[in-house]
Amino acid sequence: MSTADAALARPKAPPAVVISWLALALMTTSSVASLRPAPTMAVYGLAAVFLYLVPAIVFLLPTSLVAAELASGWEGGIYKWVAAGISKPMGFLAVWCQFAMTIFYYPTLLGFVASTLAYVFNPALASNGVWTALVIVVFYWSGVFVSSRGTKGVSGLASGGLIIGTLIPGAFLVILGAVFLGQGNPSAAPMTAANFFPEWAGLASLVLIVNNFLSYSGMEMNAVHVSSLKNPAKEYPRSIFLAMGLVLLIFILPALAISWIVPAEELSLTAGVMQAFDAVLAQFGMQGLTPIIGIMLVAASLGGMLTWLAGPSKGLLLISREEGYLPPFLQKLNKKGVQQNLLVVQGLVTTVIALGYALIPDVSSAYWIFSVITTQVYLIMYLLMFIAAIRLRRNDPDHPRGYRAPMLIGLAGVGFAASLAALLVGFIPPSQFGGENPAVYFLIVGGGALGLGLLVPFLFYRFRKPSWKQPEQTNQAGGAAP
């Protein structure tokens, strides 16, 4: 065989996966943007623009650029970053918080699904706590059943979520809102320059901004694709700035459209999107489309839930098998290689949380409290990530990185300060809860966030045993976590 023939016969290495900066921008937009926060911010009218821009500058931008540098230098996600920058125990705390936040995130997400479905069947159910709790329990356990069977067919639904459940209904809402104003109808919220800044009525009047930090969270998950860009140093910032623009448009314009149509005092934090669609469609005699819009929103939400249900738990599982952080019962896999026991235990806790919707008279209050707890737990992870980034830049500056964030220490400092401020502000009841007991609110949020985010992982770490390590079985877990 000639040299040329031998070269042809030799198996070729698979080509490196290359994605464009535009594709990465759309992926980031899809994973971050959603219509769910729109009614939360619509109560501020034009001030919603200001309240979205501030966290975008002090949180979204630092998070994106810092995570990009970490992802391009250290493979393995948040655990590897924090373990290398701080310590392995802190790495476990970070990956635990990334998992634990989903325990509160899914009741919040499915609370939105319940209120949206109510507009398909009976709008009066939107404020019914028993209905909300029932939907959360049924849909969550259905998701656990699907995930435990290793089903991958739901990925198509989730990948189309940006178009089906966000772009189309969001654009439709904005267009009809503009037509509504064009017909001479007055805006429910004043749209003058004087209304750009929110009214200051004490610190509690700005507490809703905390929810925007959760709206912008998740950028660190897409940073793993930095190495797939042709020129990360130039293309990643370009991708991030485009994604930021798209995310801001998706968040701001529907929120404004809702404020044009629905008076703030009539808004429910969970059902506001459907209220807006129902109200504006009624203006045009097209109320029959309301159930269709509701189904589109529900389909996108459920697709996202099914796709991410096992992801964070798989990441926690793999690290726990290597280091022995969780007892063998929680590390057990079913015949499909899925961490079924961990999902079931997570589901039991989620079921208990879902009962909060049935026990708390005001569904909007329950929705808000669980949203804050979700944010608090996730912010603990971000605090650790920013600290790890600063330490790695100072202690290991020559470590190869595919992308180096400009002024990383300053960016991480701003992100850390913003995350810490948001975490602390989250313990203050918003102005809408003026009649409630602040101490009760503090105990609920503090117990949920600090108990689940700090106490539980401390107990797992404190009582771990050498026999809990199962590194030889790690590869049976189905690969790395997303």
Side-chain angles (χ1 to χ4, degrees), residues 130-302:
V130 175
W131 159 263
T132 303
L134 182 63
V135 169
I136 292 174
V137 172
V138 170
F139 277 94
Y140 184 88
W141 283 105
S142 297
V144 170
F145 174 76
V146 172
S147 297
S148 68
R149 297 179 63 84
T151 302
K152 299 181 180 179
V154 299
S155 59
L157 175 61
S159 63
L162 179 65
I163 297 175
I164 297 174
T166 303
L167 291 181
I168 293 178
F172 189 49
L173 177 63
V174 173
I175 291 172
L176 291 182
V179 173
F180 176 81
L181 294 180
Q183 291 180 333
N185 297 300
S187 171
M191 292 286 129
T192 64
N195 302 109
F196 181 75
F197 296 100
E199 293 184 10
W200 179 255
L203 189 59
S205 64
L206 292 179
V207 169
L208 282 174
I209 198 173
V210 172
N211 208 37
N212 290 352
F213 281 75
L214 179 63
S215 298
Y216 289 135
S217 63
M219 299 292 285
E220 77 283 354
M221 295 182 183
N222 287 299
V224 299
H225 300 293
V226 168
S227 58
S228 298
L229 296 172
K230 289 183 178 179
N231 189 342
K234 292 183 178 179
E235 293 183 339
Y236 187 77
R238 189 184 305 168
S239 171
I240 284 300
F241 283 118
L242 176 59
M244 282 182 60
L246 292 174
V247 168
L248 284 172
L249 287 176
I250 292 172
F251 280 147
I252 291 173
L253 293 183
L256 289 178
I258 293 174
S259 70
W260 297 337
I261 302 163
V262 186
E265 61 272 13
E266 296 180 12
L267 277 173
S268 161
L269 297 184
T270 52
V273 173
M274 293 309 299
Q275 284 180 332
F277 275 112
D278 197 51
V280 74
L281 289 174
Q283 293 289 330
F284 295 93
M286 298 187 296
Q287 235 170 337
L289 294 178
T290 301
I292 297 176
I293 297 295
I295 291 173
M296 292 171 68
L297 296 174
V298 167
S301 296
L302 293 180

Side-chain angles (χ1 to χ4, degrees), residues 51-62 216 244 248:
L51 295 174
Y52 269 123
L53 288 177
V54 171
I57 295 172
V58 301
F59 180 76
L60 176 60
L61 184 60
Y216 289 135
M244 282 182 60
L248 284 172

Side-chain angles (χ1 to χ4, degrees), residues 76-79 81 91-103 105 218 220-221 308 311-313 315-316 346 377-378 380-382 481-482:
I78 189 65
Y79 173 80
W81 304 345
F92 171 60
L93 175 60
V95 76
W96 169 265
C97 288
Q98 191 177 58
F99 160 75
M101 64 81 64
T102 64
I103 296 177
Y105 171 72
E220 77 283 354
M221 295 182 183
W308 290 104
S313 61
L316 178 63
Q346 181 184 12
V377 173
Y378 211 1
I380 295 173
M381 184 210 75
Y382 281 113

Side-chain angles (χ1 to χ4, degrees), residues 429-444:
S431 55
Q432 286 83 350
F433 293 82
E436 303 292 332
N437 189 334
V440 173
Y441 180 89
F442 178 85
L443 289 175
I444 294 176

